[in-house]
Amino acid sequence: MEAVVPGTVLATLVKNKVVADPFYGLENEMIIDIADSGREYYKFWFFTKFQCKLSGAQHLDLNFRAINYSAEVYLNGHKMVLPKGMFRRHSLEVTDILNPDGENLLAVLVHPPDHPGRIPPEGGQGGDHEIGKDVATQYVEGWDWIAPVRDRNTGIWDEVSISVTGPVKIIDPHLVSSFFDQYTRAYLHATTELENRSAWVADCSLNIQVATELEGSVCLIEHLQTQHVSVPPGARIQYTFPKLSFYKPNLWWPNGLGKQSLYNVSITVDVKGYGESDTWGHLFGFRKIESHIDSATGGRLFKVNGQPIFIRGGNWILSDCLLCLSKERYKTDIKFHADMNLNMIRCWGGGLAERPEFYHYCDVYGLLVWQEFWITGDVDGRGIPISNPDGPLDHDLFMLCARDTVKLLRNYPSLALWVGGNEQVPPDDINTALKNDLKLHPLFESHSENALSIEEEDPSQYLDGTRVYIQGSMWDGFANGKGDFTDGPYEIQNPEDFFKDNFYNYGFNPEVGSVGMPVAAMIRATMPPKGWQIPLFKKLTNGYTEEVPNPIWEYHKYIPYSKPGKVHDQIELYGIPKDLDDFCLKAQLVNYVQYRALLEGWTSRMWSKYTGVLIWKTQNPWSGLRGQFYDYLLDQTAGFYGCRCAAEPIHVQLNLATYFIEVVNTTSEELSNVAVEASVWDLEGACPSYNVFDKLSLPPKKVMSISELNHPKSENPKPVYFLLLKLYNMSNNSIISRNFYWLYLPGGDYKLLEPYRNKRIPLQITSKTSHKDSSYEIEMNVQNKSEKPDPKILTYKNKFANRREDGEFDMSSLEPIHDKTEEKQKAGLFQRLYRQFPRETDGLKITEIKGSDVGVAFFLKFSVHALKTDNKGGEDTRILPVHYSDNYFSLVPGEEMSIKMSFEVPQGVTPRVTLEGWNYQSEVHTVI
């Protein structure tokens, strides 16, 4: 069979159709579990051939960046062993066993984890918890968001490579930046290991170069330093460079607060009599991350480059539960998180030590990363039944994997903190070792800006030394700080409750979650027709509704949109759904409202009550139905755009508990001469209330209350109405923040929106398409033509201001480069732009959607499909992923807005763009 590498045994079996598709319907139940088959069933040989001929004093290493769980390697018949442990690198010198003719045969026999465990009939968090005896990922025995993974992720799950060096090899350089004089001066510290594989003393020229990329292969060299080093025969030494000095370097900032400036750092070693022996390179960001427990809130407060950062992020499991990991998938995953305006990702302890490609894109897009080690409360001492109170059986192996993981990841600027475990601390000896190994260098202790003394070790000589280690996810400034189960909740809420003082009592919530129903096309793509049956809405005697889902939805971990006794069914507020399409559309309405309210509620109390929040969770590594902003097939839910709206760096919002309009400024800059426009629209298309609050100044990192929304208290208010809020610059009417609500009066519901579906609101869509090969970029300008714009409303065109230096609405397919034309900038300073490829342009196209009614064009959604002439009924034609500047949007009469989208199409496929909406359900309009 053709193997999947990176991937698992199960991934290969699925690809070759040897077993059923575990993501489809109930077919995972048709795949034999390792507990029933025995470990031998999932033990497989992997084969490949490679060409390699060495010359002179060259050496060859065969590198496995990770395997699960152990392996025997045979190269040209010579046996080597890869020891146990899922999170460790293996590098084998194979110079002496290469075939002279250059043709080499590699065979790898991979063994599953030693303790794969058994899945109890009732399921549970981590099955019977036996997997916790190994140093491996723990979710594989099943959790409340995923079914068990039958092979427990056995396989070669990360890249395999060969590397050729001369007599001296560079091993695990460590780069550290330190700052002085309010970040105007910086030092780059660098330490590396050097291994001499020869039988003679190696006289080396060791070079370090720091450069900024200008365009393409053109670089500006900021620093070049050469040191002379002698390495004894067969020795492995550590060498620290003299520190490199920088004046006003370009800093790396989190998403929404500035540029993600990155430098190219390369280290080479030249050996006398041989030449270049080895080279190493890494992108590096100058930044300082620190944190402390905030006295006002009790929550952990993070600072980057001296600026407090209000954390709005998400919990991350992993990209794919079959571990088919790729740069392309990681790029989409991380770009999605940046698109949502999030600034932190927590890598949950039951998942992976994430891969360098994951961290690379977090560096590029500005996502801070909280990385946990492989401990969970459920599996390691706090679950039901209680098991593994002493963690994995081999503590030395755990620490070996932990130290190797630190070395693998420590040079990425996005990595913000290490955490010992999820809802649990590691066993005492492991916890003590981690605290000691990851202690902060004095330069990185909170509020330190002291010059490095001669007596102190260079910070690059530490294992890390720059990031705080927290022993568990509910300790030391997270949840109640004492380890009690004070994270959550994980279910549907009344939107206004997120704004109330008693909703959550602690400063930083590491996990709070809710619903995550995907679009109907996802259900049809991953379930047979029996799975298209929507839940039964069962009326209870207390007036609440209980949802009874079908067995397939239950298997895929569906979360109801009601909580009897506490929360009325949020889908039912719009009327009982008729079928799958109706149910999923109404679920998207709820998703948008739910997650926007969650983040707006937290942000409303920025610094006064909270320092941060992480949503449980942002995505699913399989076809699950809970806690996600986009599904496994990479289609966004409306919650994605509710989150994107709420997490804007500068944002106008309605406090759903007080009905006061608020403006949030999370940036470090004051805004002046801005205004808030608040317009209320009814279902007849009239605007009974229009107010402008002008000449405002918004202080940095503050929440400002503007005015109460008076419409609900007015004479004869409409039971269902729309509210459009805009924050704009008075100088040019450019929009800083736009926020559209649909609301009902207290005690009411949204059922009047059901007949509103019958209104036909005319639209005009002007589109411009450009493409190069398979890459497409499209800009759609959509205008509600039901009425001409009111002359007094100056913002109807929605011309958005650039809200971030790095260009919030630039397309994902444009790669960041540095402008070489800015003559006024000093050497080493650059402006980030985006390369525009030469493209074919299809010109402008105008599409009219006819209608004779006046009103809001409600809940519009673009999607991209493959144009097929022989389309079979029910076939999923979506092209995924697509990056949209916005979606699930609404337009009031006369208003217009531009939506940008970018995507790749498979070879030979012609894309078409369709528009759907609340008022456009009977037909899907093709606009391109």
Side-chain angles (χ1 to χ4, degrees), residues 246-547:
F246 291 77
Y247 180 69
K248 291 186 178 179
N250 299 307
L251 300 181
W252 183 94
W253 290 95
N255 184 32
L257 293 175
K259 297 179 182 179
Q260 289 76 53
S261 299
L262 296 169
Y263 291 75
N264 290 304
V265 179
S266 60
I267 298 174
T268 59
V269 58
D270 294 327
V271 177
K272 185 177 181 181
Y274 177 84
E276 184 175 285
S277 180
D278 198 7
T279 184
W280 176 92
H282 208 287
L283 289 174
F284 180 75
F286 283 90
R287 63 95 184 96
K288 182 178 181 181
I289 298 176
E290 54 191 322
S291 68
H292 65 274
I293 298 176
D294 177 46
S295 59
T297 64
R300 183 157 289 272
L301 190 155
F302 287 86
K303 288 185 176 182
V304 178
N305 304 329
Q307 294 291 333
I309 308 295
F310 188 69
I311 298 296
R312 292 175 293 186
N315 283 270
W316 166 270
I317 307 302
L318 65 162
S319 187
D320 176 8
C321 73
L322 300 184
L323 302 188
C324 300
L325 309 176
S326 69
K327 289 182 180 179
E328 295 75 19
R329 176 97 186 189
Y330 273 135
K331 181 177 181 180
T332 297
D333 280 321
I334 305 308
K335 178 67 165 65
F336 274 175
H337 286 73
D339 286 347
M340 288 188 282
N341 290 312
L342 301 180
N343 56 21
M344 179 176 277
I345 297 179
R346 173 192 172 211
C347 294
W348 175 71
L352 301 179
E354 265 303 349
R355 301 296 87 196
E357 293 77 13
F358 170 94
Y359 277 93
H360 167 72
Y361 287 113
C362 287
D363 287 354
V364 168
Y365 292 117
L367 275 299
L368 297 169
V369 184
W370 157 333
Q371 178 67 64
E372 281 177 8
F373 295 107
W374 318 286
I375 296 288
T376 67
D378 295 282
V379 171
D380 297 292
R382 303 183 80 173
I384 301 172
I386 290 177
S387 58
N388 306 318
D390 200 30
L393 295 179
D394 191 336
H395 289 199
D396 290 338
L397 174 60
F398 186 98
M399 286 306 304
L400 187 152
C401 289
R403 292 178 182 121
D404 197 58
T405 294
V406 173
K407 291 178 180 179
L408 177 68
L409 302 177
R410 62 191 177 184
N411 292 318
Y412 291 96
S414 54
L415 178 55
L417 72 159
W418 303 102
V419 178
N422 165 63
E423 299 177 338
Q424 177 63 302
V425 298
D428 288 345
D429 60 323
I430 292 178
N431 196 30
T432 299
L434 287 171
K435 286 179 179 179
N436 184 62
D437 284 1
L438 297 173
K439 65 184 177 183
L440 290 173
H441 186 278
L443 282 175
F444 298 92
E445 292 172 352
S446 195
H447 310 301
S448 170
E449 206 194 44
N450 300 314
L452 186 66
S453 69
I454 297 175
E455 295 78 18
E456 286 176 334
E457 270 187 296
D458 187 283
S460 63
Q461 294 174 1
Y462 277 47
L463 179 63
D464 185 332
T466 68
R467 300 170 179 91
V468 68
Y469 167 74
I470 305 296
Q471 58 186 341
S473 67
M474 300 186 299
W475 280 258
D476 303 323
F478 300 122
N480 77 347
K482 303 173 183 177
D484 300 317
F485 284 100
T486 47
D487 47 8
Y490 304 92
E491 60 217 356
I492 192 74
Q493 304 292 326
N494 295 306
E496 64 272 16
D497 289 350
F498 291 114
F499 294 83
K500 295 179 179 177
D501 190 58
N502 62 355
F503 182 74
Y504 189 70
N505 295 324
Y506 308 104
F508 193 121
N509 193 342
E511 296 183 14
V512 57
S514 191
V515 291
M517 191 66 192
V519 298
M522 173 66 178
I523 299 297
R524 293 191 175 97
T526 57
M527 296 182 186
K530 286 185 178 179
W532 304 354
Q533 178 185 343
I534 66 175
L536 173 68
F537 285 71
K538 182 180 176 183
K539 278 292 183 185
L540 304 178
T541 55
N542 61 1
Y544 287 86
T545 297
E546 177 187 356
E547 291 184 16

Side-chain angles (χ1 to χ4, degrees), residues 26-42:
L26 299 176
E27 289 189 7
N28 193 50
E29 291 298 291
M30 299 166 58
I31 304 174
I32 189 168
D33 192 82
I34 194 171
D36 300 315
S37 67
R39 292 173 67 250
E40 291 295 315
Y41 183 85
Y42 285 107

Side-chain angles (χ1 to χ4, degrees), residues 27 66 112 119 125 168 293 358 371 434 461 469 510 554 663 678 692 704 708 725 830 841 852 860 868 881:
E27 289 189 7
I119 313 305
Q125 312 285 79
V168 175
I293 298 176
F358 170 94
Q371 178 67 64
L434 287 171
Q461 294 174 1
Y469 167 74
E554 276 198 293
V663 177
V692 173
M704 177 180 285
E708 186 177 6
L725 299 177
F830 56 80
T841 303
S852 58
L860 303 173
K868 292 190 176 182

